[in-house]
Amino acid sequence: MRFTAQWGDGMFQAALGGAVLFNPEREADPIAVAIGLAVLFLPYSIIGPFAGALLDRWDRRRVLWAANLVRAVLTVVVAILVATGVGGPPLYLGALAVTGVTRFVLAGLSAALPHVVEEKHLVESNVLAATAGAAVAAVGGACAIALRGVFGPDNAGGATVTVIASLGALTAALLAMGFRPGLLGPDEPKEAKRALVAVARGLADGARATAAVPSASASFAALVAHRLAFGVSTLLMLLLFRHGFTQNGLLLTGMGGIGEMVAVAAGGLGMAAVVTPWLVRRLGRAGAIRVALVLGALTQLALSVHIRMEMALIGAFLLTGAGQIVKLCADSAVQSEVDDDTRGRVFALYDAVFNIGYVVAVAAAALLAPPTGRSPLLLVLAAACYLLGLVGHELLRRRRPRTPRAPHPLVSASRDSQHIESGVSAHRPTGPN
């Protein structure tokens, strides 16, 4: 279900991005690129912490199949807008609706994972689910790029590809219906008034539950740092492939070059899938995050010195891999340390943090970046984000665990300090955590 949902998500993002950024019928400057990226990533950052409460109160199976059906319908609506040449607020609002529901679906899948996998296998399961899922999304994006070459780069071609992307959501909905009711949690679903109260308090509940677990809040800090740096890099790379780079043999510019970068980034996800379990066994979750943040900082510094197409592709591989290592460790921290009755809200907050950091960075970079995207200073600032994230991660994980503020019944007390400091599996890492 995750793979089909993320394949459709990757196709939708690439189809919409191509329709706006690389459509010969439209122009795109840094601000236009920033708006397009914000449309793809911001919506769930706003509604997610509240909608996430539903994942802790209602049957997740039912929420998942209904949300995927809604996503399929909204995707077709966006395709109609693209086909008719509608742009501006109507197109952006339609895309906001689709991506908002998509983030809700992904948070639900993450919250449900511990119900179908033993805790001691969470790292391996996250490697398969999150890493392979992200790779499938990259494949979906590549499919959209290839199909645009078949159907054309104009509005009609973009609309056709967008309609095809809705098949991912429809398939995910059918797969969700195949699960037994209650199998995906929550353990004690509640309806009606309790759900409404939980929705109203979703943001505060997720924040309190996160703050109660040092390993989770420290992972969040590292994740924010990566997304800030990655947002800056993404905007600059899009501008460089459109305006700054020139074609060099097999290395393409425009949408073709973006497709090559997506493929290389997928390789970075594969690298993270192999390396993360090995790092966690030897260094612990915290040690793996440290390595990833340092790698990210060094990569950004190298890019600032050599802004060339070859370095951009190497950077895509390393930065995507480093970010995925941080994400996998953060996923396992939440899944193993946070109680099930608040896990959905924490993942919703997690997704909000993940995307707000990205959008803020893109917006700031859009105001400072030149039209060609060549800005060594911004890449140095991105490297500084990784180093600040490393400092924040170290400070937060050294806090004492605390019990969330009473008497709210929806947030459980943190687990004992021994469990918090343990590894993500039943076997404690031999290296320092």
Side-chain angles (χ1 to χ4, degrees):
M1 178 168 51
R2 175 184 287 271
F3 294 164
T4 55
Q6 291 195 252
W7 177 85
D9 184 36
M11 274 207 68
F12 178 80
Q13 291 188 29
L16 185 65
V20 174
L21 181 60
F22 293 101
N23 188 337
E25 299 174 7
R26 306 172 191 251
E27 291 294 330
D29 57 20
I31 300 299
V33 175
I35 292 174
L37 291 173
V39 164
L40 292 174
F41 291 97
L42 186 61
Y44 196 70
S45 305
I46 299 172
I47 67 171
F50 302 94
L54 298 177
L55 299 173
D56 296 327
R57 300 294 102 188
W58 291 355
D59 181 5
R60 289 174 189 144
R61 167 191 172 272
R62 182 172 59 186
V63 172
L64 287 172
W65 69 253
N68 274 301
L69 285 178
V70 170
R71 184 161 70 107
V73 172
L74 291 174
T75 300
V76 173
V77 171
V78 170
I80 294 173
L81 295 176
V82 172
T84 55
V86 175
L91 178 62
Y92 290 144
L93 287 174
L96 282 169
V98 172
T99 53
V101 177
T102 299
R103 302 303 164 190
F104 186 33
V105 168
L106 295 179
L109 291 169
S110 295
L113 186 62
H115 285 268
V116 293
V117 174
E118 294 182 14
E119 181 175 328
K120 65 181 181 180
H121 296 306
L122 280 176
V123 169
E124 293 83 357
S125 298
N126 276 315
V127 167
L128 177 62
T131 305
V136 169
V139 171
C143 289
I145 294 171
L147 289 172
R148 279 178 59 82
V150 174
F151 295 108
D154 56 3
N155 289 335
T160 303
V161 177
T162 305
V163 169
I164 295 173
S166 68
L167 297 177
L170 285 173
T171 305
L174 292 174
L175 292 173
M177 293 178 185
F179 285 94
R180 173 174 53 82
L183 177 64
L184 302 180
D187 294 330
E188 297 180 2
K190 297 177 177 65
E191 302 290 342
K193 294 182 180 179
R194 289 298 299 275
L196 295 178
V197 171
V199 169
R201 289 174 161 168
L203 181 59
D205 287 348
R208 282 195 294 267
T210 302
V213 183
S215 61
S217 54
S219 298
F220 274 36
L223 195 65
V224 170
H226 165 68
R227 292 301 282 180
L228 288 172
F230 195 71
V232 172
S233 300
T234 300
L235 179 79
L236 295 180
M237 291 306 111
L238 288 173
L239 293 173
L240 284 165
F241 274 98
R242 182 175 175 90
H243 302 295
F245 290 147
T246 56
Q247 184 169 333
N248 181 15
L250 296 177
L251 302 181
L252 306 176
T253 58
M255 201 65 180
I258 294 296
E260 290 180 340
M261 191 166 65
V262 168
V264 171
L269 296 176
M271 179 269 290
V274 174
V275 169
T276 303
W278 181 84
L279 282 175
V280 170
R281 283 195 300 270
R282 284 156 179 77
L283 304 176
R285 262 198 317 259
I289 289 175
R290 293 185 194 107
V291 170
L293 293 176
V294 171
L295 175 62
L298 293 176
T299 302
Q300 296 283 14
L301 289 175
L303 282 171
S304 70
V305 176
H306 302 286
I307 304 179
R308 299 198 303 265
M309 195 180 302
E310 299 86 346
M311 286 299 300
L313 295 176
I314 295 172
F317 177 86
L318 294 176
L319 291 176
T320 304
Q324 190 69 358
I325 291 172
V326 175
K327 184 179 184 302
L328 289 170
C329 291
D331 282 349
S332 60
V334 173
Q335 290 165 342
S336 62
E337 308 293 353
V338 176
D339 289 336
D340 187 65
D341 61 348
T342 54
R343 192 179 294 134
R345 278 159 286 178
V346 171
F347 266 114
L349 178 66
Y350 171 10
D351 211 24
V353 168
F354 193 80
N355 292 305
I356 285 177
Y358 183 82
V359 171
V360 167
V362 168
L367 296 175
L368 300 173
T372 62
R374 291 187 178 275
S375 178
L377 175 60
L378 284 177
L379 291 170
V380 171
L381 291 176
C385 287
Y386 279 112
L387 297 178
L388 290 174
L390 180 61
V391 173
H393 174 264
E394 296 305 303
L395 293 176
L396 287 171
R397 67 176 291 273
R398 283 172 169 75
R399 293 184 306 114
R400 289 185 178 182
R402 62 182 178 84
T403 303
R405 187 183 310 168
H408 197 292
L410 296 180
V411 181
S412 63
S414 63
R415 300 183 182 181
D416 59 81
S417 59
Q418 180 180 0
H419 184 65
I420 289 177
E421 290 299 323
S422 67
V424 295
S425 71
H427 302 287
R428 184 176 179 86
T430 56
N433 194 25

